[in-house]
C-alpha cells in the first residue's frame, strides 16, 4: 500500500525529472523509493498505455517489466483478432494484453510465475473493475491442468539467463515450438507474440497450423509479430501487415505462395511519385504484390521503393513527389543539390550508409527535402530528390 503523503507527492511531481527528485531530501512521511518508482513508471507509460498512466490508483513494478509490456494500441489490435467464451493468458506480465483481450471473452485467466508482479496485477485489475481471475503459477504447469478453452495467448520471455535479448523461438521461455501441440490440444486458437526481429519464413517452418501472421508496426516502427494458430488448420497462411494507428486503412494481406508466383516489370527510371512502404509491409515481404495490387513499379528486385506516374491514394506508407533525380557520381552534388544544405536521407540497396552519404554530400539532417539513394533496374546507382506529398 502507498500512504497518503506518498500518493500526494507522486501526483505533485509527475512531470518532473526522476533523477533530480532523487537528489532532493524527501518530505517527512514520504516513501521516496516507492514514489520515484511510480513516477518513473507513469512517465514511461504515458505514451505506451495512456489510460493506465492517468489512473493514480494503479501500481506499477520495476522498469524492465514496463519496457517489455505491450502498448495499449497493439493490445487493442490483438483484441480485434480473437473472441469467445474462455481465454487464458499464460505469460501475463503487467497484464496489458490480458486486460484488453479480456473485453472479448466472458471468462479470462491471467497466469504469471512472479509472485510480486501477480500481487500488483491483482490490485490493478480490481481497480479497473476487471473480473479476470489471477493465478501465480508456472505456465507449463497451469497448461497441464487446463481444461479446453477458446483461446490461449502466450508471449514468451525473450531474454536468456544472463538477461540478454533473444530472437529465436527455441531460445524463448517457454519454448512454444516444443509446446505447440499441447497448446492446440487445450485450445481452438493459440495467439503467440514473438520478436519483430524474427524471420517470418523461419517461424512458419517451426510452427504448425498457422492460420494468420500479423506484422504490427506503430508509427512506422515494427513492434510485434503475432502468429494465430488454429486447431487442425492446414490451409495457406495469410500474412497481414498493419501500421498503427490504422486511420481506417485496411491491413495489406497476402500469402507467401502468391508472392513467390508473381513476375513483375521493374522501372527503368523514376516517374513522378516515389513510395516507401511502411515498416510492417517491408517486414512482411510482399514486395512484388505491392507493385501488382497498388499499380506501382518497383525500382529493383532488392530496392524496396516504388514509383508511378499517377499518384496512388492511401498508399500503405509514405508518398513523395519527385523533384529531380541523377546518377550517383562525383558531380551529383552540384547537379542535384545546388543550394540545398539540409535533407532527410533514406538508403535502400545502396553501397553507402546514410552517415557516409551525408558526409560526402555535406548535407545536414532535416528540412523540407527528402533524398533517396537507391539502385534502378539497370543497376545504376541514383539519388532521387523529393518532397513529401
Amino acid at each position: 500500500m502507498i500512504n497518503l503523503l506518498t500518493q500526494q507527492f507522486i501526483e505533485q511531481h509527475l512531470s518532473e525529472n526522476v533523477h533530480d527528485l532523487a537528489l532532493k531530501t524527501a518530505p517527512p512521511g514520504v516513501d521516496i523509493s516507492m514514489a520515484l518508482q511510480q513516477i518513473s513508471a507513469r512517465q514511461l507509460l504515458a505514451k505506451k498505455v495512456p489510460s493506465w498512466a492517468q489512473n493514480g490508483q494503479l501500481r506499477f513494478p520495476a522498469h524492465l517489466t514496463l519496457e517489455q509490456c505491450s502498448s495499449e494500441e497493439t493490445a487493442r489490435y490483438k483484441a480485434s483478432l480473437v473472441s469467445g467464451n474462455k481465454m487464458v493468458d499464460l505469460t501475463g506480465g503487467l497484464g496489458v494484453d490480458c486486460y484488453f483481450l479480456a473485453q472479448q471473452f466472458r471468462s479470462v485467466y491471467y497466469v504469471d510465475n512472479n509472485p510480486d508482479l501477480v500481487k500488483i496485477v491483482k490490485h490493478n485489475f480490481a481497480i479497473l473493475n476487471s473480473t479476470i481471475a489471477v493465478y501465480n503459477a508456472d505456465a507449463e504447469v497451469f497448461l497441464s491442468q487446463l481444461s479446453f478453452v477458446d483461446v490461449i495467448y502466450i508471449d514468451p520471455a525473450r531474454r536468456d539467463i544472463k538477461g540478454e535479448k533473444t530472437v529465436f523461438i527455441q531460445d524463448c521461455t517457454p519454448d512454444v515450438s516444443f509446446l505447440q501441440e499441447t497448446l492446440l490440444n487445450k485450445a481452438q486458437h493459440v495467439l503467440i507474440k514473438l520478436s519483430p526481429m524474427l524471420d517470418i519464413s523461419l517461424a512458419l517452418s517451426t510452427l504448425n497450423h498457422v492460420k494468420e501472421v500479423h506484422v504490427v508496426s506503430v508509427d512506422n516502427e515494427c513492434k510485434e509479430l503475432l502468429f494465430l494458430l488454429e486447431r487442425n488448420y492446414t490451409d495457406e497462411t495469410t500474412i497481414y501487415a498493419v501500421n498503427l494507428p490504422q486511420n481506417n486503412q485496411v491491413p495489406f494481406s497476402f500469402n507467401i505462395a502468391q508472392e513467390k508466383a508473381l513476375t513483375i516489370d521493374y522501372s527503368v527510371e523514376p516517374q513522378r511519385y516515389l513510395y516507401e512502404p511502411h515498416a510492417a509491409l517491408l517486414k512482411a515481404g510482399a514486395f512484388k504484390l505491392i507493385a501488382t495490387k497498388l499499380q506501382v513499379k518497383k525500382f529493383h528486385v532488392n530496392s524496396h521503393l516504388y514509383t508511378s506516374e499517377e499518384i496512388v491514394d492511401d498508399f500503405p506508407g509514405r508518398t513523395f513527389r519527385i523533384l529531380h533525380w541523377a546518377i550517383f557520381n562525383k558531380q551529383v552534388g552540384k547537379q542535384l543539390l545546388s543550394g540545398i544544405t539540409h535533407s532527410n536521407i533514406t538508403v535502400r540497396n545502396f553501397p553507402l550508409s546514410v552517415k557516409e552519404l551525408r558526409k560526402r554530400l555535406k548535407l545536414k539532417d532535416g528540412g523540407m527535402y527528402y533524398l533517396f539513394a537507391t539502385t534502378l533496374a539497370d543497376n545504376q546507382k541514383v539519388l532521387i530528390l523529393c518532397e513529401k506529398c
Side-chain angles (χ1 to χ4, degrees), residues 264 266-267 287 296-306:
I264 63 170
Y266 294 89
S267 180
F287 302 125
V296 292
K297 285 195 171 184
K298 201 169 189 284
F299 283 137
H300 182 280
V301 64
N302 295 319
S303 300
H304 305 317
L305 296 169
Y306 301 80

Side-chain angles (χ1 to χ4, degrees), residues 165-223:
K165 288 185 179 180
T166 59
V167 172
F168 297 112
I169 295 174
Q170 294 89 341
D171 295 332
C172 298
T173 306
D175 177 0
V176 291
S177 64
F178 175 76
L179 283 179
Q180 60 183 311
E181 293 306 321
T182 303
L183 291 165
L184 285 170
N185 282 334
K186 297 285 188 172
Q188 181 63 24
H189 290 98
V190 177
L191 183 60
I192 306 170
K193 174 184 168 183
L194 294 171
S195 168
M197 300 299 293
L198 183 64
D199 181 86
I200 294 173
S201 296
L202 178 61
L204 289 174
S205 69
T206 304
L207 298 173
N208 302 317
H209 311 294
V210 181
K211 184 177 183 179
E212 299 172 3
V213 177
H214 294 258
V215 186
V216 182
S217 63
V218 178
D219 295 328
N220 206 28
E221 182 181 351
C222 198
K223 292 292 188 180

Side-chain angles (χ1 to χ4, degrees), residues 6 40 67 70-72 76 81 83 92-93 100 108 123 145 147 162 197 216 219 235 237 271 328 332 345 347 368 372:
T6 302
S40 176
E67 285 184 338
S70 293
S71 68
E72 186 167 334
R76 288 184 186 276
L81 305 180
S83 61
F100 287 100
V108 176
H123 165 86
Q145 300 168 355
S147 57
K162 296 180 180 179
M197 300 299 293
V216 182
D219 295 328
D235 291 340
T237 301
Q271 297 176 3
F328 181 67
V332 71
I345 297 178
V347 166
M368 62 179 285
F372 288 86

Side-chain angles (χ1 to χ4, degrees), residues 13 29 36 84 98 106 133 164 235 274 285 320 377:
H13 298 276
L36 295 177
C98 189
R106 292 183 180 179
E164 299 293 328
D235 291 340
L274 181 147
F320 301 87

Side-chain angles (χ1 to χ4, degrees), residues 139-373:
E140 293 180 55
V141 173
F142 192 91
L143 180 64
S144 68
Q145 300 168 355
L146 183 66
S147 57
F148 195 80
V149 298
D150 296 295
V151 174
I152 292 174
Y153 173 65
I154 187 164
D155 176 9
R158 294 188 291 277
R159 289 185 184 270
D160 59 21
I161 56 174
K162 296 180 180 179
E164 299 293 328
K165 288 185 179 180
T166 59
V167 172
F168 297 112
I169 295 174
Q170 294 89 341
D171 295 332
C172 298
T173 306
D175 177 0
V176 291
S177 64
F178 175 76
L179 283 179
Q180 60 183 311
E181 293 306 321
T182 303
L183 291 165
L184 285 170
N185 282 334
K186 297 285 188 172
Q188 181 63 24
H189 290 98
V190 177
L191 183 60
I192 306 170
K193 174 184 168 183
L194 294 171
S195 168
M197 300 299 293
L198 183 64
D199 181 86
I200 294 173
S201 296
L202 178 61
L204 289 174
S205 69
T206 304
L207 298 173
N208 302 317
H209 311 294
V210 181
K211 184 177 183 179
E212 299 172 3
V213 177
H214 294 258
V215 186
V216 182
S217 63
V218 178
D219 295 328
N220 206 28
E221 182 181 351
C222 198
K223 292 292 188 180
E224 298 181 357
L225 292 184
L226 305 172
F227 291 77
L228 183 64
L229 282 57
E230 181 175 284
R231 185 181 172 91
N232 301 323
Y233 185 80
T234 56
D235 291 340
E236 282 279 352
T237 301
T238 302
I239 300 176
Y240 296 86
V242 58
N243 184 48
L244 302 176
Q246 292 186 76
N247 297 325
N248 299 318
Q249 194 171 78
V250 177
F252 190 99
S253 63
F254 70 102
N255 64 57
I256 293 174
Q258 286 177 306
E259 173 69 15
K260 286 183 176 179
L262 272 181
T263 300
I264 63 170
D265 294 326
Y266 294 89
S267 180
V268 177
E269 62 181 39
Q271 297 176 3
R272 291 182 66 190
Y273 297 95
L274 181 147
Y275 307 92
E276 181 186 33
H278 62 61
L281 201 46
L282 289 172
K283 176 66 180 181
F287 302 125
K288 291 183 285 185
L289 275 162
I290 293 171
T292 302
K293 283 190 174 185
L294 300 172
Q295 301 284 294
V296 292
K297 285 195 171 184
K298 201 169 189 284
F299 283 137
H300 182 280
V301 64
N302 295 319
S303 300
H304 305 317
L305 296 169
Y306 301 80
T307 190
S308 71
E309 196 63 37
E310 300 295 327
I311 193 167
V312 176
D313 293 326
D314 300 323
F315 183 89
R318 300 196 297 173
T319 301
F320 301 87
R321 183 178 293 102
I322 296 175
L323 301 174
H324 306 287
W325 68 277
I327 293 171
F328 181 67
N329 56 36
K330 291 183 179 179
Q331 302 302 315
V332 71
K334 294 179 181 178
Q335 295 169 354
L336 190 69
L337 303 170
S338 179
I340 296 175
T341 58
H342 291 70
S343 181
N344 304 279
I345 297 178
T346 298
V347 166
R348 291 275 187 270
N349 188 26
F350 195 78
L352 299 181
S353 68
V354 170
K355 184 178 179 180
E356 290 168 334
L357 187 59
R358 188 177 298 286
K359 183 178 180 181
R360 181 174 295 194
L361 297 174
K362 299 177 181 178
L363 286 174
K364 295 180 181 179
D365 190 22
M368 62 179 285
Y369 295 108
Y370 292 80
L371 189 66
F372 288 86

Side-chain angles (χ1 to χ4, degrees), residues 47 51 75 110 114 120 127 130 193 198 260 302 321:
K47 288 185 178 180
S51 65
Y110 162 105
N114 183 330
I120 291 171
I127 294 297
S130 173
K193 174 184 168 183
L198 183 64
K260 286 183 176 179
N302 295 319
R321 183 178 293 102

